[in-house]
Amino acid sequence: MQVSLGQIDHLAEIIRSRVRQKPRIGIILGTGLGGLADTVQAATIIPYQELPDWPVSTVVGHTGRLVSGELEGQPLLVMQGRLHFYEGYSMAQVTMPVRVMGRLGIEILIVTNAAGAINPDYLPGDVMLISDHLNLTGMAGLNPLIGPNLDELGPRFPDMSQAYDRELSALARRAAAENSIQLHTGIYVGLSGPSFETPADLRFLRLAGADAVGMSTVPEVTVARHSGTRVLGFSGISNKANLDGNTATSHEEVLEAGRVLTPKLETILRGVLRHL
Ligand code: HPA
């Protein structure tokens, strides 16, 4: 299903009429990381159900509401709960919230996700700054920009040479260092899910250069870059990818790791927002 500029602007207008401030920053919270939204000050909360045609997340660990307010003096709009392609939504629907945030005027999109560690040095509870991604879903024909180009929003063939903003990434490294939080830097590979990877999948992804694997983020970042929005991305490592086939991966361990990851990510995010 395609999404029209009219639908996007209609949603932007509804949200604009309900929030007190124009957001400068959009934040998408990944599986198990929704608690980050609770720290937003002067919050206005809009449940997704109150927004016409807004896809509602069906996944445990995703609340499903927009939180508008301030953190470290920066006006922001937080998506507490994201949509995934595996829920059955089209790529256009999955990325529609990013379009709406763009029309609301955000300059920066901060994406977070839960991911499995392919890099053997990463442990559950670690945080990875995303330096680049492998768009495997896009390579397989599921790029969210497929279809008529919305020329008002961006070019037909957008550049992806610096998908993740270097200046913002430097701020994240500084914030982590100031707070003695270990921050890996690596490549995120986006798959459709919902089944976790086989050991052969994981060996292939490792050979391709991936450090962490997940089922989100890449479509949202692609759409944000289409419109020139600056992007900062973090993976919260929730589990070790099972390259040898001897241990199972479960959604429960992904949620459990979120509890360790949330305070670390909050500290890094606050540091970035302070230094902006
Ligand atoms: N694989 C894919 N997606 C994930 C994983 C994983 O191991 N952990 C959290 N999201």
Side-chain angles (χ1 to χ4, degrees), residues 7-23 44 46-48 50-52 54 66-68 76-79 96-97 99-101 104:
Q7 276 173 296
I8 293 163
D9 281 342
H10 180 56
L11 279 161
E13 196 45 55
I14 293 171
I15 295 166
R16 202 177 285 120
S17 72
R18 291 189 54 176
V19 302
R20 279 174 241 159
Q21 261 178 313
K22 178 176 172 234
T44 305
I46 309 176
Y48 294 163
E50 293 179 12
L51 296 167
W54 191 283
L66 281 178
V67 180
S68 155
L76 34 90
L77 189 61
V78 182
M79 278 183 72
M96 188 196 62
R99 289 296 191 202
V100 173
M101 288 198 274
L104 286 168

PDB file of all heavy atoms in Angstrom, residues 7-23 44 46-48 50-52 54 66-68 76-79 96-97 99-101 104:
ATOM      1  N   GLN A   7      -2.183  12.272   2.696  1.00  0.00           N
ATOM      2  CA  GLN A   7      -2.341  11.527   3.963  1.00  0.00           C
ATOM      3  C   GLN A   7      -1.282  11.955   4.979  1.00  0.00           C
ATOM      4  O   GLN A   7      -1.570  12.134   6.162  1.00  0.00           O
ATOM      5  CB  GLN A   7      -2.164  10.025   3.704  1.00  0.00           C
ATOM      6  CG  GLN A   7      -3.409   9.309   3.232  1.00  0.00           C
ATOM      7  CD  GLN A   7      -3.058   7.873   2.858  1.00  0.00           C
ATOM      8  OE1 GLN A   7      -2.288   7.643   1.919  1.00  0.00           O
ATOM      9  NE2 GLN A   7      -3.608   6.930   3.575  1.00  0.00           N
ATOM     10  N   ILE A   8      -0.058  12.099   4.487  1.00  0.00           N
ATOM     11  CA  ILE A   8       1.051  12.485   5.367  1.00  0.00           C
ATOM     12  C   ILE A   8       0.778  13.872   5.956  1.00  0.00           C
ATOM     13  O   ILE A   8       0.892  14.088   7.170  1.00  0.00           O
ATOM     14  CB  ILE A   8       2.381  12.479   4.569  1.00  0.00           C
ATOM     15  CG1 ILE A   8       2.747  11.043   4.164  1.00  0.00           C
ATOM     16  CG2 ILE A   8       3.515  13.133   5.363  1.00  0.00           C
ATOM     17  CD1 ILE A   8       3.791  10.954   3.065  1.00  0.00           C
ATOM     18  N   ASP A   9       0.385  14.806   5.108  1.00  0.00           N
ATOM     19  CA  ASP A   9       0.166  16.175   5.580  1.00  0.00           C
ATOM     20  C   ASP A   9      -1.055  16.275   6.494  1.00  0.00           C
ATOM     21  O   ASP A   9      -1.074  17.077   7.427  1.00  0.00           O
ATOM     22  CB  ASP A   9       0.045  17.135   4.388  1.00  0.00           C
ATOM     23  CG  ASP A   9       1.414  17.485   3.834  1.00  0.00           C
ATOM     24  OD1 ASP A   9       2.412  17.279   4.563  1.00  0.00           O
ATOM     25  OD2 ASP A   9       1.508  17.951   2.684  1.00  0.00           O
ATOM     26  N   HIS A  10      -2.065  15.440   6.241  1.00  0.00           N
ATOM     27  CA  HIS A  10      -3.243  15.428   7.106  1.00  0.00           C
ATOM     28  C   HIS A  10      -2.849  15.007   8.526  1.00  0.00           C
ATOM     29  O   HIS A  10      -3.227  15.634   9.526  1.00  0.00           O
ATOM     30  CB  HIS A  10      -4.296  14.478   6.518  1.00  0.00           C
ATOM     31  CG  HIS A  10      -5.548  14.384   7.321  1.00  0.00           C
ATOM     32  ND1 HIS A  10      -6.313  15.490   7.663  1.00  0.00           N
ATOM     33  CD2 HIS A  10      -6.183  13.316   7.879  1.00  0.00           C
ATOM     34  CE1 HIS A  10      -7.352  15.104   8.386  1.00  0.00           C
ATOM     35  NE2 HIS A  10      -7.297  13.792   8.533  1.00  0.00           N
ATOM     36  N   LEU A  11      -2.040  13.945   8.614  1.00  0.00           N
ATOM     37  CA  LEU A  11      -1.574  13.476   9.916  1.00  0.00           C
ATOM     38  C   LEU A  11      -0.696  14.525  10.595  1.00  0.00           C
ATOM     39  O   LEU A  11      -0.806  14.765  11.802  1.00  0.00           O
ATOM     40  CB  LEU A  11      -0.811  12.160   9.749  1.00  0.00           C
ATOM     41  CG  LEU A  11      -1.705  10.935   9.645  1.00  0.00           C
ATOM     42  CD1 LEU A  11      -0.963   9.770   9.023  1.00  0.00           C
ATOM     43  CD2 LEU A  11      -2.224  10.544  11.034  1.00  0.00           C
ATOM     44  N   ALA A  12       0.178  15.144   9.804  1.00  0.00           N
ATOM     45  CA  ALA A  12       1.064  16.174  10.375  1.00  0.00           C
ATOM     46  C   ALA A  12       0.225  17.309  10.967  1.00  0.00           C
ATOM     47  O   ALA A  12       0.524  17.821  12.048  1.00  0.00           O
ATOM     48  CB  ALA A  12       2.017  16.699   9.304  1.00  0.00           C
ATOM     49  N   GLU A  13      -0.853  17.667  10.268  1.00  0.00           N
ATOM     50  CA  GLU A  13      -1.719  18.763  10.729  1.00  0.00           C
ATOM     51  C   GLU A  13      -2.403  18.404  12.057  1.00  0.00           C
ATOM     52  O   GLU A  13      -2.470  19.222  12.982  1.00  0.00           O
ATOM     53  CB  GLU A  13      -2.774  19.043   9.627  1.00  0.00           C
ATOM     54  CG  GLU A  13      -3.486  20.355   9.754  1.00  0.00           C
ATOM     55  CD  GLU A  13      -2.548  21.521  10.073  1.00  0.00           C
ATOM     56  OE1 GLU A  13      -1.577  21.715   9.317  1.00  0.00           O
ATOM     57  OE2 GLU A  13      -2.782  22.214  11.083  1.00  0.00           O
ATOM     58  N   ILE A  14      -2.882  17.165  12.159  1.00  0.00           N
ATOM     59  CA  ILE A  14      -3.536  16.724  13.401  1.00  0.00           C
ATOM     60  C   ILE A  14      -2.550  16.786  14.570  1.00  0.00           C
ATOM     61  O   ILE A  14      -2.861  17.295  15.652  1.00  0.00           O
ATOM     62  CB  ILE A  14      -4.091  15.284  13.243  1.00  0.00           C
ATOM     63  CG1 ILE A  14      -5.236  15.265  12.231  1.00  0.00           C
ATOM     64  CG2 ILE A  14      -4.562  14.730  14.592  1.00  0.00           C
ATOM     65  CD1 ILE A  14      -5.695  13.860  11.852  1.00  0.00           C
ATOM     66  N   ILE A  15      -1.353  16.280  14.334  1.00  0.00           N
ATOM     67  CA  ILE A  15      -0.353  16.256  15.416  1.00  0.00           C
ATOM     68  C   ILE A  15       0.048  17.689  15.786  1.00  0.00           C
ATOM     69  O   ILE A  15       0.130  18.049  16.964  1.00  0.00           O
ATOM     70  CB  ILE A  15       0.873  15.414  15.001  1.00  0.00           C
ATOM     71  CG1 ILE A  15       0.450  13.946  14.831  1.00  0.00           C
ATOM     72  CG2 ILE A  15       1.999  15.547  16.016  1.00  0.00           C
ATOM     73  CD1 ILE A  15       1.452  13.080  14.109  1.00  0.00           C
ATOM     74  N   ARG A  16       0.224  18.524  14.765  1.00  0.00           N
ATOM     75  CA  ARG A  16       0.607  19.930  15.002  1.00  0.00           C
ATOM     76  C   ARG A  16      -0.425  20.627  15.903  1.00  0.00           C
ATOM     77  O   ARG A  16      -0.070  21.415  16.769  1.00  0.00           O
ATOM     78  CB  ARG A  16       0.711  20.642  13.646  1.00  0.00           C
ATOM     79  CG  ARG A  16       1.574  21.891  13.676  1.00  0.00           C
ATOM     80  CD  ARG A  16       1.703  22.509  12.300  1.00  0.00           C
ATOM     81  NE  ARG A  16       2.605  21.792  11.411  1.00  0.00           N
ATOM     82  CZ  ARG A  16       2.267  21.246  10.238  1.00  0.00           C
ATOM     83  NH1 ARG A  16       1.022  21.342   9.783  1.00  0.00           N
ATOM     84  NH2 ARG A  16       3.156  20.614   9.509  1.00  0.00           N
ATOM     85  N   SER A  17      -1.707  20.288  15.678  1.00  0.00           N
ATOM     86  CA  SER A  17      -2.766  20.958  16.451  1.00  0.00           C
ATOM     87  C   SER A  17      -2.795  20.468  17.905  1.00  0.00           C
ATOM     88  O   SER A  17      -3.415  21.092  18.750  1.00  0.00           O
ATOM     89  CB  SER A  17      -4.121  20.712  15.789  1.00  0.00           C
ATOM     90  OG  SER A  17      -4.514  19.363  15.987  1.00  0.00           O
ATOM     91  N   ARG A  18      -2.126  19.335  18.188  1.00  0.00           N
ATOM     92  CA  ARG A  18      -2.214  18.770  19.549  1.00  0.00           C
ATOM     93  C   ARG A  18      -0.962  18.970  20.383  1.00  0.00           C
ATOM     94  O   ARG A  18      -1.002  18.797  21.599  1.00  0.00           O
ATOM     95  CB  ARG A  18      -2.537  17.274  19.463  1.00  0.00           C
ATOM     96  CG  ARG A  18      -3.957  17.069  18.958  1.00  0.00           C
ATOM     97  CD  ARG A  18      -4.426  15.646  19.048  1.00  0.00           C
ATOM     98  NE  ARG A  18      -4.299  15.051  20.371  1.00  0.00           N
ATOM     99  CZ  ARG A  18      -4.728  13.830  20.650  1.00  0.00           C
ATOM    100  NH1 ARG A  18      -5.300  13.100  19.733  1.00  0.00           N
ATOM    101  NH2 ARG A  18      -4.577  13.339  21.862  1.00  0.00           N
ATOM    102  N   VAL A  19       0.164  19.283  19.747  1.00  0.00           N
ATOM    103  CA  VAL A  19       1.397  19.437  20.528  1.00  0.00           C
ATOM    104  C   VAL A  19       1.690  20.917  20.752  1.00  0.00           C
ATOM    105  O   VAL A  19       1.224  21.770  20.003  1.00  0.00           O
ATOM    106  CB  VAL A  19       2.606  18.727  19.852  1.00  0.00           C
ATOM    107  CG1 VAL A  19       2.313  17.257  19.668  1.00  0.00           C
ATOM    108  CG2 VAL A  19       2.971  19.378  18.527  1.00  0.00           C
ATOM    109  N   ARG A  20       2.475  21.171  21.806  1.00  0.00           N
ATOM    110  CA  ARG A  20       2.701  22.571  22.186  1.00  0.00           C
ATOM    111  C   ARG A  20       3.864  23.189  21.431  1.00  0.00           C
ATOM    112  O   ARG A  20       3.957  24.391  21.288  1.00  0.00           O
ATOM    113  CB  ARG A  20       2.991  22.656  23.686  1.00  0.00           C
ATOM    114  CG  ARG A  20       1.710  22.619  24.503  1.00  0.00           C
ATOM    115  CD  ARG A  20       2.024  22.545  25.982  1.00  0.00           C
ATOM    116  NE  ARG A  20       1.474  21.314  26.525  1.00  0.00           N
ATOM    117  CZ  ARG A  20       1.861  20.728  27.643  1.00  0.00           C
ATOM    118  NH1 ARG A  20       2.810  21.248  28.356  1.00  0.00           N
ATOM    119  NH2 ARG A  20       1.295  19.629  28.041  1.00  0.00           N
ATOM    120  N   GLN A  21       4.796  22.356  20.975  1.00  0.00           N
ATOM    121  CA  GLN A  21       6.026  22.881  20.387  1.00  0.00           C
ATOM    122  C   GLN A  21       6.335  22.179  19.082  1.00  0.00           C
ATOM    123  O   GLN A  21       6.065  20.989  18.932  1.00  0.00           O
ATOM    124  CB  GLN A  21       7.189  22.549  21.331  1.00  0.00           C
ATOM    125  CG  GLN A  21       7.611  23.656  22.236  1.00  0.00           C
ATOM    126  CD  GLN A  21       8.732  23.170  23.128  1.00  0.00           C
ATOM    127  OE1 GLN A  21       8.656  22.078  23.710  1.00  0.00           O
ATOM    128  NE2 GLN A  21       9.790  23.934  23.219  1.00  0.00           N
ATOM    129  N   LYS A  22       6.966  22.901  18.178  1.00  0.00           N
ATOM    130  CA  LYS A  22       7.451  22.263  16.951  1.00  0.00           C
ATOM    131  C   LYS A  22       8.671  21.400  17.319  1.00  0.00           C
ATOM    132  O   LYS A  22       9.620  21.903  17.921  1.00  0.00           O
ATOM    133  CB  LYS A  22       7.859  23.369  15.972  1.00  0.00           C
ATOM    134  CG  LYS A  22       8.423  22.851  14.680  1.00  0.00           C
ATOM    135  CD  LYS A  22       8.719  23.999  13.726  1.00  0.00           C
ATOM    136  CE  LYS A  22       9.450  23.479  12.543  1.00  0.00           C
ATOM    137  NZ  LYS A  22      10.657  24.039  12.154  1.00  0.00           N
ATOM    138  N   PRO A  23       8.634  20.096  16.983  1.00  0.00           N
ATOM    139  CA  PRO A  23       9.773  19.256  17.366  1.00  0.00           C
ATOM    140  C   PRO A  23      10.996  19.516  16.486  1.00  0.00           C
ATOM    141  O   PRO A  23      10.864  19.747  15.282  1.00  0.00           O
ATOM    142  CB  PRO A  23       9.255  17.828  17.149  1.00  0.00           C
ATOM    143  CG  PRO A  23       8.176  17.962  16.128  1.00  0.00           C
ATOM    144  CD  PRO A  23       7.589  19.335  16.274  1.00  0.00           C
ATOM    145  N   THR A  44       3.102  15.638  26.043  1.00  0.00           N
ATOM    146  CA  THR A  44       1.761  15.441  25.490  1.00  0.00           C
ATOM    147  C   THR A  44       1.790  14.056  24.844  1.00  0.00           C
ATOM    148  O   THR A  44       2.704  13.757  24.075  1.00  0.00           O
ATOM    149  CB  THR A  44       1.456  16.483  24.386  1.00  0.00           C
ATOM    150  OG1 THR A  44       1.650  17.785  24.918  1.00  0.00           O
ATOM    151  CG2 THR A  44       0.038  16.335  23.869  1.00  0.00           C
ATOM    152  N   ILE A  46      -0.014  11.102  22.550  1.00  0.00           N
ATOM    153  CA  ILE A  46      -1.046  10.806  21.547  1.00  0.00           C
ATOM    154  C   ILE A  46      -0.975   9.309  21.212  1.00  0.00           C
ATOM    155  O   ILE A  46      -0.039   8.869  20.537  1.00  0.00           O
ATOM    156  CB  ILE A  46      -0.845  11.620  20.248  1.00  0.00           C
ATOM    157  CG1 ILE A  46      -0.670  13.115  20.552  1.00  0.00           C
ATOM    158  CG2 ILE A  46      -2.007  11.387  19.283  1.00  0.00           C
ATOM    159  CD1 ILE A  46      -0.375  13.976  19.330  1.00  0.00           C
ATOM    160  N   PRO A  47      -1.947   8.496  21.695  1.00  0.00           N
ATOM    161  CA  PRO A  47      -1.958   7.078  21.310  1.00  0.00           C
ATOM    162  C   PRO A  47      -2.155   6.953  19.791  1.00  0.00           C
ATOM    163  O   PRO A  47      -2.927   7.723  19.202  1.00  0.00           O
ATOM    164  CB  PRO A  47      -3.156   6.507  22.067  1.00  0.00           C
ATOM    165  CG  PRO A  47      -3.442   7.485  23.162  1.00  0.00           C
ATOM    166  CD  PRO A  47      -3.037   8.830  22.626  1.00  0.00           C
ATOM    167  N   TYR A  48      -1.455   5.998  19.191  1.00  0.00           N
ATOM    168  CA  TYR A  48      -1.557   5.838  17.728  1.00  0.00           C
ATOM    169  C   TYR A  48      -3.010   5.640  17.286  1.00  0.00           C
ATOM    170  O   TYR A  48      -3.396   6.058  16.199  1.00  0.00           O
ATOM    171  CB  TYR A  48      -0.724   4.641  17.245  1.00  0.00           C
ATOM    172  CG  TYR A  48       0.782   4.761  17.410  1.00  0.00           C
ATOM    173  CD1 TYR A  48       1.598   3.629  17.334  1.00  0.00           C
ATOM    174  CD2 TYR A  48       1.400   5.993  17.617  1.00  0.00           C
ATOM    175  CE1 TYR A  48       2.976   3.724  17.479  1.00  0.00           C
ATOM    176  CE2 TYR A  48       2.772   6.087  17.767  1.00  0.00           C
ATOM    177  CZ  TYR A  48       3.559   4.947  17.697  1.00  0.00           C
ATOM    178  OH  TYR A  48       4.922   5.038  17.843  1.00  0.00           O
ATOM    179  N   GLU A  50      -5.519   7.147  18.063  1.00  0.00           N
ATOM    180  CA  GLU A  50      -6.243   8.408  17.871  1.00  0.00           C
ATOM    181  C   GLU A  50      -5.862   9.095  16.559  1.00  0.00           C
ATOM    182  O   GLU A  50      -6.387  10.154  16.234  1.00  0.00           O
ATOM    183  CB  GLU A  50      -5.966   9.347  19.059  1.00  0.00           C
ATOM    184  CG  GLU A  50      -6.560   8.808  20.356  1.00  0.00           C
ATOM    185  CD  GLU A  50      -6.274   9.703  21.557  1.00  0.00           C
ATOM    186  OE1 GLU A  50      -5.823  10.849  21.363  1.00  0.00           O
ATOM    187  OE2 GLU A  50      -6.494   9.225  22.684  1.00  0.00           O
ATOM    188  N   LEU A  51      -4.914   8.489  15.824  1.00  0.00           N
ATOM    189  CA  LEU A  51      -4.461   9.093  14.569  1.00  0.00           C
ATOM    190  C   LEU A  51      -4.998   8.269  13.400  1.00  0.00           C
ATOM    191  O   LEU A  51      -4.724   7.068  13.313  1.00  0.00           O
ATOM    192  CB  LEU A  51      -2.934   9.135  14.527  1.00  0.00           C
ATOM    193  CG  LEU A  51      -2.296  10.024  15.611  1.00  0.00           C
ATOM    194  CD1 LEU A  51      -0.797   9.765  15.695  1.00  0.00           C
ATOM    195  CD2 LEU A  51      -2.567  11.491  15.306  1.00  0.00           C
ATOM    196  N   PRO A  52      -5.779   8.882  12.496  1.00  0.00           N
ATOM    197  CA  PRO A  52      -6.389   8.112  11.409  1.00  0.00           C
ATOM    198  C   PRO A  52      -5.331   7.459  10.509  1.00  0.00           C
ATOM    199  O   PRO A  52      -4.353   8.106  10.131  1.00  0.00           O
ATOM    200  CB  PRO A  52      -7.194   9.164  10.631  1.00  0.00           C
ATOM    201  CG  PRO A  52      -6.709  10.492  11.094  1.00  0.00           C
ATOM    202  CD  PRO A  52      -6.127  10.310  12.447  1.00  0.00           C
ATOM    203  N   TRP A  54      -2.977   5.559  11.148  1.00  0.00           N
ATOM    204  CA  TRP A  54      -1.626   5.350  11.701  1.00  0.00           C
ATOM    205  C   TRP A  54      -1.487   3.873  12.026  1.00  0.00           C
ATOM    206  O   TRP A  54      -2.279   3.334  12.816  1.00  0.00           O
ATOM    207  CB  TRP A  54      -1.426   6.194  12.962  1.00  0.00           C
ATOM    208  CG  TRP A  54      -0.011   6.246  13.428  1.00  0.00           C
ATOM    209  CD1 TRP A  54       0.681   5.284  14.096  1.00  0.00           C
ATOM    210  CD2 TRP A  54       0.899   7.347  13.254  1.00  0.00           C
ATOM    211  NE1 TRP A  54       1.951   5.704  14.362  1.00  0.00           N
ATOM    212  CE2 TRP A  54       2.117   6.961  13.861  1.00  0.00           C
ATOM    213  CE3 TRP A  54       0.813   8.607  12.657  1.00  0.00           C
ATOM    214  CZ2 TRP A  54       3.235   7.794  13.878  1.00  0.00           C
ATOM    215  CZ3 TRP A  54       1.923   9.425  12.694  1.00  0.00           C
ATOM    216  CH2 TRP A  54       3.117   9.027  13.281  1.00  0.00           C
ATOM    217  N   LEU A  66       2.693   8.384  20.527  1.00  0.00           N
ATOM    218  CA  LEU A  66       3.630   9.479  20.282  1.00  0.00           C
ATOM    219  C   LEU A  66       3.754  10.293  21.550  1.00  0.00           C
ATOM    220  O   LEU A  66       2.741  10.582  22.195  1.00  0.00           O
ATOM    221  CB  LEU A  66       3.090  10.403  19.185  1.00  0.00           C
ATOM    222  CG  LEU A  66       3.230   9.984  17.738  1.00  0.00           C
ATOM    223  CD1 LEU A  66       2.569  11.043  16.854  1.00  0.00           C
ATOM    224  CD2 LEU A  66       4.698   9.835  17.350  1.00  0.00           C
ATOM    225  N   VAL A  67       4.968  10.639  21.907  1.00  0.00           N
ATOM    226  CA  VAL A  67       5.193  11.466  23.090  1.00  0.00           C
ATOM    227  C   VAL A  67       5.927  12.722  22.639  1.00  0.00           C
ATOM    228  O   VAL A  67       7.016  12.645  22.068  1.00  0.00           O
ATOM    229  CB  VAL A  67       6.021  10.704  24.153  1.00  0.00           C
ATOM    230  CG1 VAL A  67       6.254  11.583  25.379  1.00  0.00           C
ATOM    231  CG2 VAL A  67       5.311   9.413  24.545  1.00  0.00           C
ATOM    232  N   SER A  68       5.281  13.859  22.873  1.00  0.00           N
ATOM    233  CA  SER A  68       5.879  15.129  22.476  1.00  0.00           C
ATOM    234  C   SER A  68       6.269  15.884  23.732  1.00  0.00           C
ATOM    235  O   SER A  68       5.534  15.875  24.719  1.00  0.00           O
ATOM    236  CB  SER A  68       4.845  15.927  21.678  1.00  0.00           C
ATOM    237  OG  SER A  68       5.107  17.298  21.765  1.00  0.00           O
ATOM    238  N   LEU A  76      11.140  17.616  21.212  1.00  0.00           N
ATOM    239  CA  LEU A  76      11.211  16.372  20.437  1.00  0.00           C
ATOM    240  C   LEU A  76       9.882  15.648  20.367  1.00  0.00           C
ATOM    241  O   LEU A  76       8.950  15.932  21.110  1.00  0.00           O
ATOM    242  CB  LEU A  76      12.308  15.448  20.973  1.00  0.00           C
ATOM    243  CG  LEU A  76      12.632  15.405  22.459  1.00  0.00           C
ATOM    244  CD1 LEU A  76      11.781  14.371  23.121  1.00  0.00           C
ATOM    245  CD2 LEU A  76      14.086  15.058  22.631  1.00  0.00           C
ATOM    246  N   LEU A  77       9.851  14.711  19.439  1.00  0.00           N
ATOM    247  CA  LEU A  77       8.685  13.862  19.236  1.00  0.00           C
ATOM    248  C   LEU A  77       9.193  12.423  19.254  1.00  0.00           C
ATOM    249  O   LEU A  77      10.042  12.050  18.440  1.00  0.00           O
ATOM    250  CB  LEU A  77       8.040  14.194  17.886  1.00  0.00           C
ATOM    251  CG  LEU A  77       6.687  13.572  17.588  1.00  0.00           C
ATOM    252  CD1 LEU A  77       5.637  14.024  18.607  1.00  0.00           C
ATOM    253  CD2 LEU A  77       6.222  13.978  16.189  1.00  0.00           C
ATOM    254  N   VAL A  78       8.679  11.651  20.206  1.00  0.00           N
ATOM    255  CA  VAL A  78       9.182  10.279  20.390  1.00  0.00           C
ATOM    256  C   VAL A  78       8.123   9.287  19.941  1.00  0.00           C
ATOM    257  O   VAL A  78       6.958   9.402  20.328  1.00  0.00           O
ATOM    258  CB  VAL A  78       9.533  10.025  21.877  1.00  0.00           C
ATOM    259  CG1 VAL A  78      10.094   8.620  22.063  1.00  0.00           C
ATOM    260  CG2 VAL A  78      10.517  11.062  22.383  1.00  0.00           C
ATOM    261  N   MET A  79       8.532   8.325  19.146  1.00  0.00           N
ATOM    262  CA  MET A  79       7.650   7.203  18.806  1.00  0.00           C
ATOM    263  C   MET A  79       7.926   6.091  19.800  1.00  0.00           C
ATOM    264  O   MET A  79       8.988   5.446  19.735  1.00  0.00           O
ATOM    265  CB  MET A  79       7.953   6.670  17.407  1.00  0.00           C
ATOM    266  CG  MET A  79       7.303   7.443  16.295  1.00  0.00           C
ATOM    267  SD  MET A  79       7.688   6.655  14.720  1.00  0.00           S
ATOM    268  CE  MET A  79       6.693   5.148  14.798  1.00  0.00           C
ATOM    269  N   MET A  96       5.812   5.639   7.133  1.00  0.00           N
ATOM    270  CA  MET A  96       4.963   6.829   7.126  1.00  0.00           C
ATOM    271  C   MET A  96       5.208   7.755   8.323  1.00  0.00           C
ATOM    272  O   MET A  96       5.261   8.980   8.165  1.00  0.00           O
ATOM    273  CB  MET A  96       3.502   6.422   7.068  1.00  0.00           C
ATOM    274  CG  MET A  96       2.578   7.591   6.872  1.00  0.00           C
ATOM    275  SD  MET A  96       0.899   7.144   7.259  1.00  0.00           S
ATOM    276  CE  MET A  96       1.026   6.727   8.969  1.00  0.00           C
ATOM    277  N   PRO A  97       5.398   7.203   9.552  1.00  0.00           N
ATOM    278  CA  PRO A  97       5.677   8.105  10.672  1.00  0.00           C
ATOM    279  C   PRO A  97       6.915   8.973  10.449  1.00  0.00           C
ATOM    280  O   PRO A  97       6.950  10.127  10.883  1.00  0.00           O
ATOM    281  CB  PRO A  97       5.886   7.138  11.846  1.00  0.00           C
ATOM    282  CG  PRO A  97       5.072   5.927  11.487  1.00  0.00           C
ATOM    283  CD  PRO A  97       5.228   5.795   9.994  1.00  0.00           C
ATOM    284  N   ARG A  99       7.916  10.082   7.569  1.00  0.00           N
ATOM    285  CA  ARG A  99       7.437  11.129   6.645  1.00  0.00           C
ATOM    286  C   ARG A  99       6.710  12.236   7.407  1.00  0.00           C
ATOM    287  O   ARG A  99       6.919  13.421   7.171  1.00  0.00           O
ATOM    288  CB  ARG A  99       6.467  10.524   5.623  1.00  0.00           C
ATOM    289  CG  ARG A  99       7.084   9.626   4.583  1.00  0.00           C
ATOM    290  CD  ARG A  99       8.013  10.390   3.725  1.00  0.00           C
ATOM    291  NE  ARG A  99       8.451   9.673   2.540  1.00  0.00           N
ATOM    292  CZ  ARG A  99       9.569   9.978   1.894  1.00  0.00           C
ATOM    293  NH1 ARG A  99      10.355  10.954   2.321  1.00  0.00           N
ATOM    294  NH2 ARG A  99       9.905   9.321   0.818  1.00  0.00           N
ATOM    295  N   VAL A 100       5.832  11.797   8.329  1.00  0.00           N
ATOM    296  CA  VAL A 100       5.041  12.776   9.079  1.00  0.00           C
ATOM    297  C   VAL A 100       5.972  13.634   9.943  1.00  0.00           C
ATOM    298  O   VAL A 100       5.847  14.862   9.993  1.00  0.00           O
ATOM    299  CB  VAL A 100       3.966  12.054   9.934  1.00  0.00           C
ATOM    300  CG1 VAL A 100       3.246  13.044  10.845  1.00  0.00           C
ATOM    301  CG2 VAL A 100       2.969  11.337   9.031  1.00  0.00           C
ATOM    302  N   MET A 101       6.931  12.987  10.605  1.00  0.00           N
ATOM    303  CA  MET A 101       7.878  13.750  11.434  1.00  0.00           C
ATOM    304  C   MET A 101       8.649  14.745  10.578  1.00  0.00           C
ATOM    305  O   MET A 101       8.922  15.865  11.000  1.00  0.00           O
ATOM    306  CB  MET A 101       8.824  12.803  12.176  1.00  0.00           C
ATOM    307  CG  MET A 101       8.141  12.046  13.295  1.00  0.00           C
ATOM    308  SD  MET A 101       9.288  11.344  14.507  1.00  0.00           S
ATOM    309  CE  MET A 101       9.692   9.809  13.747  1.00  0.00           C
ATOM    310  N   LEU A 104       6.596  17.679   9.961  1.00  0.00           N
ATOM    311  CA  LEU A 104       6.463  18.493  11.178  1.00  0.00           C
ATOM    312  C   LEU A 104       7.723  19.337  11.421  1.00  0.00           C
ATOM    313  O   LEU A 104       7.759  20.136  12.343  1.00  0.00           O
ATOM    314  CB  LEU A 104       6.199  17.592  12.391  1.00  0.00           C
ATOM    315  CG  LEU A 104       4.786  17.009  12.456  1.00  0.00           C
ATOM    316  CD1 LEU A 104       4.709  15.912  13.516  1.00  0.00           C
ATOM    317  CD2 LEU A 104       3.762  18.104  12.761  1.00  0.00           C
TER     318      LEU A 104
END
